[in-house]
Amino acid sequence: MSDKKLDTPNETVGLGRRRFINTAALAGLTVGVAACNDKPAAAPAAAPAAPAPAPAPTAHAGANVHLKPGELDTYYGLWSGGHTGDMRVLGLPSGRELLRIPCFVPDALVGWGITNESKAVMGTKPDGHLRYTVGDTHHTHASYKDGNYDGRYAWINDKINSRIARIRLDYFVCDKITQLPNVQGFHGIFPDKRDPVDQAINYTTRVFCGGEFSIPLPNAGIEDSSKYRSLFSCVDAETMEVRWQVLIDGNCDLVATSFDGKLAATNQYNTEMGAKYEDMMSAERDACLFFNIARIEEAVKAGKFKTIGSSKVPVVDGTHEANKDPKTALTAYVSVPKNPHGVNASPDQKYFICAGKLSPTVTVIELAKVLDWFDGKSEKLDDAIVAEVEVGLGPLHTAFDGRGNAFTTLFLDSQVVKWNIDKAIAFHKGDKNAKYVVDRLDVHYQPGHINASQSETIAADGKYLAVGCKFSKDRFLPVGPLHAENEQLIDISGEKMVLLADHPVRGEPHDFIIFKRDLVKPKQVYDLDHHPLAIKDPKESGVFRSGKKVTVKLTSQAPAFSMREFKVKKGDEVTLILTNLDKIEDLTHGFAIPNYNVNFIVNPQETASVTFVADQPGVFWCYCTHFCHALHLEMRTRMIVEA
Ligand code: CUK
Ligand code: CUA
Ligand code: CA
């Protein structure tokens, strides 16, 4: 294959028993996707070995997704919102959407990007306007304790502006956003699965972040793309500060962490460091890049780092050149086939699975053997690869049932393949009778992310599997050129996968996690003490002037605001503080000011504030935007702006 031009023949290129996908085959995929119901054109050329299964039955006695009215779901799902820049919260198995948590993008319900509190989290320019109003969330993961979710936090990435947001799971709100320095295309994200083993290093949970696009470091407009590099970043879960970064060769994509806190890894599809896709897919193999976390932290402690540009974050050297000696290496580049996508940790804590994407294979990497290499106990890093087996075309992401089986999405085949990890290892070792493919299920269509209930935890329970299908084609009523994506729910409690439900969803969610409902204990009411400006008594209400700066203090209690009117002067800089003194859960009030671009809510016992210049004289009926009471429409106050 090495001497074969990738963009010439309209065929997949054979290499031993493996078949890789070339540029022309990818072009064929586009045709396949466009034609309703067609299988991708690339599929017949390199059909997977296992036979197609009988069509799955549509109903299953064991799992009913249609909950009766009033019945509660048994699982939470945290879904990336995609282009809407927020996090979605679902109940499962019903698939009902319960909440959208705004983080990267303004939201007119909550007043996200409008209140001073949310603007402080989002970040503003010196003129007080938001620095960013677009986002692109892909990956969401929650905090762990001892290998299972602990209900403290979730994190989500913004690929566009390389931001990581933290969600507090006690209130289901975003409370911090950090922008990674010198990173473009921040993609994969994964936290520690338990607090670090090395107690000498006083870290709490860390969140690891993969930088996908290589750029000049520092970014000073260099055209020669061979000089661009990517960084792998570590963020402290508590302070949300970037603790350190690793300079690498190639790029980062998805991220996985081991259950013992010793290793993190990212799959690399651009080890070629190409600037064009033809270059990015020119090599037969790329890598799954491992990070020796303890050594990196020792190097940082020992001062063996540099900084880049104006950033103060320590950057250690993880490039090939600097890491040839395993005994001191910070990184290890494990060779995996062509443009891999997705790296996932098996719940038995032993393996990382790297999916092939342009290779029809999955690679199983044994973590103990990677550690052996770092410890000098194993000479060949390749020995850590304990299986590299064919599963079908376009493998992207993998989930687990906790019973030794893995479920991998096959983007090109529009299937989920269930395969057994031990049998795949046996097959790789030479037992050609080991039937590692257990089942295949058609999904609709072109699946990307996949996740099972509790999948990447020690409590993987093998009940539900959700699949994010990138194309819905004919599954829903047509609504113009943009089709909903199709999130499908699958019962994986039996040997065979059973398709349970289709859910249309606005593009493009990418990743998600599913966990048992009793792992989080959300609070129902805020605490007045959470906000230093809380107005605890309606008698504290009023208009307080200091020159041109005016503070308006207001409380809400259904069906009235504490002041029925208030006066300011044209040109005043007004800060309005509103505390909701209602104490009952769900008794939320809204506050909108016509013509002033103000709309936000205050939940029970919550305080929020807005600042604006009263530049238009007149009468403005500030009204409650959240239905709270029979007199909700009457719940108003007058802002009088005197000329
Ligand atoms: S990437 Cu979207 S399907 Cu951003 Cu996780 Cu693989
Ligand atoms: Cu208060 Cu509606
Ligand atoms: Ca490549």
Side-chain angles (χ1 to χ4, degrees), residues 179-338:
Q179 187 170 37
L180 307 176
N182 296 306
V183 172
Q184 260 177 40
F186 158 37
H187 196 206
I189 177 174
F190 220 106
D192 273 315
K193 292 195 174 79
R194 51 169 52 90
D195 285 334
V197 274
D198 185 355
Q199 300 299 339
I201 301 163
N202 187 24
Y203 281 132
T204 47
T205 297
R206 303 154 296 195
V207 191
F208 302 97
C209 308
E212 186 178 343
F213 307 151
S214 301
I215 51 170
L217 294 172
N219 196 351
I222 305 165
E223 257 179 61
D224 177 4
S225 65
S226 71
K227 301 224 162 67
Y228 301 175
R229 287 295 180 279
S230 300
L231 297 173
F232 180 80
S233 306
C234 171
V235 174
D236 186 292
E238 298 300 329
T239 64
M240 285 292 283
E241 280 165 14
V242 184
R243 303 304 297 247
W244 44 258
Q245 295 179 304
V246 186
L247 179 78
I248 61 165
D249 288 323
N251 69 332
C252 305
D253 191 15
L254 286 300
V255 172
T257 57
S258 64
F259 280 81
D260 59 11
K262 291 181 181 171
L263 294 169
T266 185
N267 62 290
Q268 302 195 286
Y269 64 77
N270 190 13
T271 51
E272 301 91 337
M273 294 197 264
K276 300 195 277 283
Y277 82 87
E278 297 90 334
D279 298 332
M280 295 181 204
M281 58 186 288
S282 60
E284 286 164 23
R285 295 182 76 89
D286 286 291
C288 182
L289 170 56
F290 281 80
F291 298 90
N292 187 320
I293 304 300
R295 279 193 195 164
I296 290 167
E297 289 179 346
E298 279 159 24
V300 171
K301 232 177 169 182
K304 291 182 199 150
F305 60 80
K306 59 173 188 176
T307 58
I308 298 172
S310 58
S311 163
K312 300 225 157 47
V313 174
V315 180
V316 298
D317 191 348
T319 59
H320 280 291
E321 195 53 37
N323 292 277
K324 284 186 177 147
D325 180 1
K327 290 216 172 68
T328 56
L330 309 179
T331 55
Y333 293 74
V334 177
S335 166
V336 298
K338 208 170 175 74

Side-chain angles (χ1 to χ4, degrees), residues 69-80:
E71 223 180 312
L72 296 185
D73 281 294
T74 44
Y75 291 85
Y76 280 102
L78 298 183
W79 248 250
S80 144

Side-chain angles (χ1 to χ4, degrees), residues 589 624 626-628 632 635:
H589 298 288
C624 178
H626 210 81
F627 218 110
C628 54
H632 158 73
M635 185 168 175

Side-chain angles (χ1 to χ4, degrees), residues 535 537-542 552-566 576-582 587-594 598-603 606 608 620-629 631-639:
I535 301 145
D537 187 327
K539 290 193 202 100
E540 295 167 28
S541 305
V552 178
K553 293 187 180 178
L554 203 58
T555 61
S556 61
Q557 258 171 314
F561 294 109
S562 54
M563 292 190 289
R564 306 308 164 88
E565 61 189 57
F566 58 91
L576 184 141
I577 306 163
L578 174 61
T579 298
N580 182 1
L581 291 177
D582 276 312
L587 221 174
T588 295
H589 298 288
F591 195 87
I593 313 178
V598 167
N599 186 15
F600 64 98
I601 54 169
V602 273
N603 292 301
E606 188 183 25
F620 301 90
W621 284 105
C622 309
Y623 68 98
C624 178
T625 49
H626 210 81
F627 218 110
C628 54
H629 191 276
L631 291 169
H632 158 73
L633 290 166
E634 289 83 349
M635 185 168 175
R636 301 188 221 163
T637 178
R638 256 188 316 161
M639 177 171 80

